[in-house]
């Protein structure tokens, strides 16, 4: 894989020299750390052999045997840890400026503003990178809008093609109606600085730029704007170590262990079809560990579908960490937030839980948790209650979510006082002309859910605000 990237960089030039090759070899030949252990079954039980292999493997991992490497000079832009590729006569900035001049701006930022080490170069320039390219976060976030507005986008597409010309690149060859990146579906992309940064276009024609902006505004008037938010799901099986330990203590431990492994394989084979059904993008699928990028409206329904299938196939439970983020938020920070959310979900007593972190573009972060069984019958219906239909206002006013959150400051516990306040607020903020809403029923449902939440009323308020946020497609005040 690395060799295909090296050949591509040699083709683009400047030609590598000894300095360049020393960095490349140092970083690519020592990247992987592989650990394994074996224990003989001869003369002892499967349980004893497994325990020895597991103990030895843990010891090898903790030994951390690796060669020390010195990373000198200007570091790469992606990790900030390793030396950026350069030659003896060219600095890292000059080397990557020369490469950037020969590739689309979407692949490498211009003017040496992005400098890669060998690992980053492999990610960008290998054959595998070309075959397995993931959609951008903007493409993920705007997917629902694109599916609903393709018919109306024809004139806007023509204006974009006229504006960008040779600077425009395709990412979806299978989509004849809109084969371009989703970032062009956001009005904020149609600005000189963004077009330079993302497409390498200097000084777009003012008339053509304004024409494109007008055409996109016209689409917005016919259809709702694209959501600026998307979801990253990290799902993980609960107590897998304990489940393996139970297997090896059974009467036939080897067969029990194989049976568990087969169930994980069966689940992983289901995952691509589930993800495809929700129009999402599968990032990682490793048995009891799944990572998915998905549009905002389908984030929690997909996470729930994955967990339910895991439980049905493996007879175990799973938890999920979800990060909901703005499409321009740094992706590495979103990944960390989703992993942290997964860790928080695992702290809920009994697990089988979900934790959601919302990362607003303003920098505000909100976190909430719930067990799946308590979340399941309530949340998706709440989202629908906050939605406005074509001829009918929402069953619940948006203000309800914020009033509950405010009430939680003085009524933090799920007791009779909170129940009475929920009833009062529901009566005040319900749409009396809406046929799908019963205040008494929803008072009880929200009260019962609050009683199960780790932080009770305060957490209920956050879940209500999230439901309203999703119902509005991530639109902020």
């Amino acid at each position: 894989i690395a060799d295909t990237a090296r050949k591509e960089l040699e083709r683009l030039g400047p030609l590598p020299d000894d300095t360049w090759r020393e960095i490349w070899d140092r970083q690519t030949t020592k990247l992987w750390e592989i650990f394994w252990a074996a224990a003989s079954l001869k003369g002892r039980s499967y349980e004893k052999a497994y325990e020895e292999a597991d103990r030895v493997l843990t010891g090898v991992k903790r030994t951390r045997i690796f060669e020390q490497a010195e990373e000198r000079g200007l570091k790469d832009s992606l990790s900030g840890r390793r030396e950026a590729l350069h030659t003896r006569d060219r600095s890292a900035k000059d080397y990557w400026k020369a490469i950037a001049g020969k590739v689309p701006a979407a692949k490498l930022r211009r003017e040496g503003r992005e400098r890669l080490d060998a690992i980053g170069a492999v990610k960008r320039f290998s054959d595998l990178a070309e075959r397995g390219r993931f959609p951008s976060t903007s493409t993920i976030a705007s997917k629902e809008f694109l599916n609903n507005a393709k018919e109306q986008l024809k004139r806007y597409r023509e204006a974009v093609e006229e504006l960008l010309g040779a600077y425009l690149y395709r990412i979806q060859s299978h989509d004849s109606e809109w084969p371009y990146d989703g970032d062009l579906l956001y009005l904020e992309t149609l600005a000189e600085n963004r077009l330079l940064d993302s497409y390498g276009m200097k000084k777009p024609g003012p008339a053509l730029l304004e024409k494109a902006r007008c055409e996109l505004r016209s689409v917005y008037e016919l259809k709702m704007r694209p959501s600026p938010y998307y979801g990253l799901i990290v799902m993980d099986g609960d107590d897998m170590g304990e489940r393996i330990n139970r297997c090896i203590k059974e009467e036939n431990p080897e067969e029990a262990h194989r049976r568990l492994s087969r169930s994980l394989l069966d689940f992983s084979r289901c995952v691509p079809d589930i993800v495809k059904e929700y129009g999402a993008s599968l990032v990682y699928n490793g048995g009891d560990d799944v990572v998915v990028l998905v549009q905002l409206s389908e984030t929690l329904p997909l996470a729930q579908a994955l967990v339910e299938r895991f439980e049905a196939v493996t007879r175990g439970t799973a938890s999920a960490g979800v990060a909901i983020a703005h499409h321009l938020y740094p992706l590495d920070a979103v990944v960390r937030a989703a992993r942290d959310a997964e860790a928080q979900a695992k702290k809920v007593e009994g697990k089988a839980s979900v934790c959601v972190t919302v990362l607003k573009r303003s920098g505000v972060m909100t976190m909430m948790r719930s067990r799946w069984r308590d979340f399941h019958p309530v949340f998706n219906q709440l989202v629908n209650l906050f939605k406005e239909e074509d001829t009918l206002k929402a069953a619940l006013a948006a203000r309800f979510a914020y009033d509950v959150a405010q009430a939680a400051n003085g009524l933090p516990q799920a007791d009779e006082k909170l129940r009475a306040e929920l009833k009062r607020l529901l009566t005040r903020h319900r749409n009396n002309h809406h046929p799908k809403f019963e205040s008494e029923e929803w008072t009880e449902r929200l009260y019962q859910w609050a009683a199960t939440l780790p932080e009770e009323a305060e957490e209920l308020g956050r879940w209500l605000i999230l439901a309203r946020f999703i119902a509005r497609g991530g639109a902020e005040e």
Side-chain angles (χ1 to χ4, degrees):
I1 295 169
D3 194 49
T4 63
R6 179 181 58 78
K7 290 177 179 176
E8 177 65 6
L9 289 173
E10 288 175 349
R11 184 185 70 81
L12 292 168
L15 289 174
D17 60 7
D18 290 344
T19 299
W20 190 99
R21 282 189 286 270
E22 188 278 325
I23 300 171
W24 183 270
D25 292 342
R26 182 178 76 238
Q27 294 177 350
T28 59
T29 58
K30 300 173 183 177
L31 173 66
W32 302 113
E33 292 181 81
I34 301 172
F35 307 99
W36 60 272
S40 173
L41 281 162
K42 188 176 181 179
R44 57 180 166 174
S45 67
Y46 184 87
E47 178 183 354
K48 293 297 183 184
Y50 177 85
E51 287 176 349
E52 180 184 341
D54 185 53
R55 184 175 63 254
V56 173
L57 180 61
T58 301
V60 171
K61 285 184 175 181
R62 289 179 177 173
T63 304
R64 304 293 292 164
I65 302 171
F66 56 88
E67 292 184 36
Q68 191 171 7
E70 184 180 359
E71 296 290 347
R72 302 173 293 274
L74 192 63
K75 301 301 187 285
D76 70 286
S77 304
L78 296 183
S79 75
R81 297 196 304 267
R82 292 180 289 267
E83 185 177 5
L85 285 166
H86 63 90
T87 63
R88 183 184 301 105
D89 300 327
R90 286 179 182 261
S91 68
K93 182 175 181 179
D94 288 342
Y95 174 79
W96 286 106
K97 180 179 179 180
I99 296 290
K102 299 179 181 179
V103 298
K107 197 178 191 75
L108 191 68
R109 295 179 71 182
R110 302 293 189 189
E111 304 300 323
R113 285 179 292 166
E114 193 169 31
R115 303 163 301 278
L116 305 179
D117 64 351
I119 308 308
V122 171
K123 291 178 180 179
R124 295 286 179 88
F125 292 93
S126 71
D127 286 352
L128 185 63
E130 291 302 318
R131 294 198 305 271
R133 180 176 293 177
F134 289 101
S136 71
T137 53
S138 301
T139 298
I140 294 289
S142 61
K143 188 160 191 174
E144 184 175 13
F145 169 80
L146 179 60
N147 290 339
N148 292 330
K150 279 186 178 180
E151 197 67 33
Q152 291 77 23
L153 283 168
K154 185 177 180 181
R155 290 181 59 180
Y156 173 60
R157 174 181 172 174
E158 292 172 355
V160 164
E161 291 171 341
E162 188 178 9
L163 170 66
L164 286 168
Y167 293 99
L168 194 58
Y169 58 87
R170 290 172 171 251
I171 63 163
Q172 305 176 82
S173 57
H174 63 279
D175 192 334
S176 59
E177 294 176 284
W178 183 263
Y180 307 122
D181 197 290
D183 66 344
L184 287 169
L185 299 175
Y186 296 91
L187 201 61
E188 60 196 17
T189 303
L190 300 178
E192 288 191 21
N193 62 326
R194 288 286 302 279
L195 292 176
L196 174 62
D197 197 41
S198 299
Y199 293 87
M201 185 181 196
K202 296 180 180 179
K203 295 183 179 180
L208 293 178
L209 180 58
E210 185 55 32
K211 178 182 177 183
R213 292 174 65 86
C214 287
E215 292 293 351
L216 185 54
R217 287 194 194 98
S218 297
V219 180
Y220 287 175
E221 291 173 3
L222 295 171
K223 298 287 182 178
M224 64 180 290
R225 290 170 177 254
S227 171
Y229 286 83
Y230 69 98
L232 176 65
I233 301 168
V234 177
M235 191 216 82
D236 188 52
D238 292 330
D239 304 316
M240 294 307 299
E242 291 182 18
R243 293 188 69 186
I244 293 173
N245 288 335
R246 288 198 297 270
C247 286
I248 64 174
K249 293 183 183 303
E250 290 191 16
E251 185 176 346
N252 187 341
E254 186 172 356
E255 176 53 33
H257 198 174
R258 290 180 185 275
R259 189 166 57 246
L260 176 59
S261 294
R262 282 195 296 267
S263 73
L264 294 174
L265 175 61
D266 290 342
F267 168 70
S268 67
R269 286 172 172 164
C270 298
V271 169
D273 286 340
I274 299 172
V275 171
K276 184 178 180 180
E277 180 183 344
Y278 285 83
S281 180
L282 182 60
V283 178
Y284 180 78
N285 181 17
D288 70 315
D289 191 3
V290 179
V291 180
V292 184
L293 287 164
V294 58
Q295 63 202 59
L296 176 63
S297 62
E298 299 289 11
T299 300
L300 286 163
L302 173 55
Q304 190 175 315
L306 288 168
V307 166
E308 288 175 353
R309 184 64 64 88
F310 181 85
E311 293 179 355
V313 173
T314 72
R315 305 302 178 192
T317 64
S319 296
V322 175
I324 292 174
H326 193 278
H327 69 111
L328 297 181
Y329 207 93
L331 184 55
D332 58 344
V334 179
V335 173
R336 286 196 301 272
R339 288 290 184 192
D340 290 345
E342 177 202 359
Q344 290 300 318
K346 296 280 190 178
K347 292 180 181 179
V348 176
E349 186 176 357
K351 302 174 184 175
S353 299
V354 58
C355 177
V356 179
T357 296
V358 181
L359 301 168
K360 295 286 187 72
R361 193 179 185 186
S362 61
V364 176
M365 184 175 77
T366 310
M367 179 180 286
M368 61 220 76
R369 296 175 294 170
S370 176
R371 291 180 302 198
W372 282 112
R373 69 170 182 261
D374 304 313
F375 167 93
H376 170 67
V378 181
F379 186 79
N380 292 335
Q381 293 176 35
L382 268 175
V383 172
N384 290 330
L385 291 179
F386 282 115
K387 282 183 178 178
E388 291 188 7
E389 300 175 16
D390 291 339
T391 58
L392 192 63
K393 288 187 176 181
L396 268 177
R399 190 66 223 169
F400 172 71
Y402 296 97
D403 282 357
V404 171
Q406 186 174 7
N409 293 326
L411 302 170
Q413 296 179 331
D415 54 18
E416 290 303 316
K417 292 179 182 178
L418 178 66
R419 177 186 267 151
E421 181 64 4
L422 286 172
K423 182 176 181 180
R424 184 184 76 82
L425 291 174
L426 282 165
T427 303
R428 177 181 178 184
H429 292 298
R430 65 159 294 175
N431 179 357
N432 292 320
H433 301 290
H434 203 288
K436 300 178 182 178
F437 189 81
E438 290 292 338
S439 296
E440 293 284 348
E441 176 191 349
W442 273 98
T443 296
E444 196 60 28
R445 294 182 77 177
L446 293 178
Y447 168 74
Q448 294 292 344
W449 189 23
T452 69
L453 296 175
E455 296 179 20
E456 300 188 32
E458 185 179 343
E459 210 140 24
L460 175 65
R462 294 198 289 268
W463 279 113
L464 288 168
I465 290 172
L466 177 62
R468 184 256 181 191
F469 180 78
I470 292 174
R472 287 174 55 86
E476 300 186 60
E477 297 297 346

